[in-house]
Amino acid sequence: MARLLFVHAHPDDETLTCGTTMAHHVAAGDEVHVLTCTLGEEGEVIPPDLAHLEGAPGDPLGAWRREELREAMRRLGVAHAVLGEDPRSGVLSRYRDSGMAGMPGAHHPRAFAGADVAEASALVARHVRSLRPDVVVTYDEHGGYRHPDHIQTHRVTLAALAGLAEEARPAVAYEIVTPRSWAQEDREWLRAHVPSGGALVVPGPGDPFPACVVDDDEVTHVVIDPEQVAAQAHALEAHRTQLSVHDGYYALSNDIAARLGGREGFRRIDPARGASAAAAATRHTGGPAGWALGLMGETDA
């Protein structure tokens, strides 16, 4: 049995980017954990009946999203924690959502994007030492789509791993990336399956991809398990303030459709240095049951 730790910025990020992988490993009997760095206080609320939470004094949206995270992880069978959370004193999170680049939330005194890296990485390192995972997964240096908190999560996680003693450091670490061929196929699938003329928008063939979409040869590992899409979708439905879930796809508050493809890509990195662990990638694709994500540091399917 392997123990995996996924480090993310806000509630829902974990299921959006790694839901298939987490469900796959739970089904395989592995122990899966999530560490979330903020509570997503700056999120935009979709359901009208919860609109009062958005931007309200006292950050009630953060506390609400903490419970959404709790329910989503219950549905997936995943253990979870929030960075700096202390239930005994009533502290829900050490850090606060910074919002997108240029938003006022970045100036909040607890904004994660402006946190001292040494302090934040020490908290992550403490969690890793306590948990002793075999594998750690987080974003790439662009934070997936250049969100300041995602970039800080990458920075803090890699600093934490590099600072650990060798005997406490996980054997394997990964960054979340998507093969360009998959991203192109997903857009074609969306054009065929999302009703035209509806409320949701399908990106066009020439629209730019997020920064986490990379050339296929940069992707070193994949998990392919379409059977886990239902589990991922069920967990995503718990994050109802942030997204809507449809038949095989979802949308955030921007109403842009995104596919739930049952496959997720990763790039292996050296946990001691934060650098790519392979000059040339090897794509590993298994059968319908998927492929174990770097189980105990293995590189073969």
Side-chain angles (χ1 to χ4, degrees), residues 122-146:
L123 290 175
V124 174
R126 183 187 307 167
H127 190 78
V128 173
R129 278 194 297 268
S130 173
L131 192 60
R132 302 302 289 266
D134 303 299
V135 175
V136 172
V137 179
T138 193
Y139 312 108
D140 67 353
E141 69 272 21
H142 304 297
Y145 62 100
R146 305 189 191 282

Side-chain angles (χ1 to χ4, degrees), residues 20-282:
T20 288
T21 298
M22 292 192 297
H24 170 83
H25 278 282
V26 169
D30 293 327
E31 186 179 317
V32 180
H33 295 255
V34 164
L35 177 63
T36 307
C37 294
T38 82
L39 295 179
E41 294 90 344
E42 290 287 320
E44 297 177 339
V45 175
I46 295 176
D49 61 308
L50 297 176
H52 62 281
L53 297 172
E54 185 175 328
D59 285 337
L61 179 58
W64 189 279
R65 293 188 69 182
R66 177 67 182 91
E67 296 310 308
E68 290 183 337
L69 174 64
R70 195 186 310 278
E71 175 59 18
M73 296 302 92
R74 185 194 68 78
R75 295 181 183 189
L76 283 176
V78 171
H80 57 93
V82 175
L83 195 63
E85 182 178 36
D86 184 1
R88 291 172 298 181
S89 62
V91 174
L92 298 182
S93 176
R94 167 66 182 86
Y95 301 107
R96 188 182 184 278
D97 184 357
S98 310
M100 297 295 290
M103 289 183 62
H107 303 294
H108 191 282
R110 291 196 300 112
F112 186 54
D116 180 77
V117 172
E119 176 190 295
S121 64
L123 290 175
V124 174
R126 183 187 307 167
H127 190 78
V128 173
R129 278 194 297 268
S130 173
L131 192 60
R132 302 302 289 266
D134 303 299
V135 175
V136 172
V137 179
T138 193
Y139 312 108
D140 67 353
E141 69 272 21
H142 304 297
Y145 62 100
R146 305 189 191 282
H147 190 296
D149 287 338
H150 289 225
I151 294 171
Q152 182 77 321
T153 300
H154 165 88
R155 186 182 298 126
V156 165
T157 302
L158 266 59
L161 296 179
L164 288 168
E166 185 175 357
E167 62 272 14
R169 187 181 300 124
V172 185
Y174 292 94
E175 297 173 335
I176 304 162
V177 291
T178 300
R180 192 172 307 278
S181 63
W182 285 8
Q184 293 167 340
E185 291 167 3
D186 287 349
R187 286 191 176 178
E188 293 173 2
W189 185 95
L190 288 166
R191 284 194 292 273
H193 291 82
V194 177
S196 60
L200 301 185
V201 176
V202 175
D207 290 343
F209 289 112
C212 62
V213 174
V214 300
D215 292 342
D216 287 16
D217 62 2
E218 292 188 37
V219 179
T220 61
H221 296 69
V222 298
V223 171
I224 301 177
D225 194 348
E227 294 181 0
Q228 301 303 336
V229 169
Q232 182 182 19
H234 186 50
L236 284 174
E237 287 171 346
H239 292 291
R240 64 182 293 258
T241 61
Q242 301 301 297
L243 52 92
S244 59
V245 181
H246 307 269
D247 187 11
Y249 58 98
Y250 69 91
L252 302 176
S253 60
N254 58 12
D255 290 332
I256 297 176
R259 186 185 182 189
L260 295 171
R263 55 188 187 179
E264 291 158 355
F266 304 89
R267 177 169 54 210
R268 185 174 177 176
I269 59 173
D270 181 349
R273 299 186 301 114
S276 175
T282 302

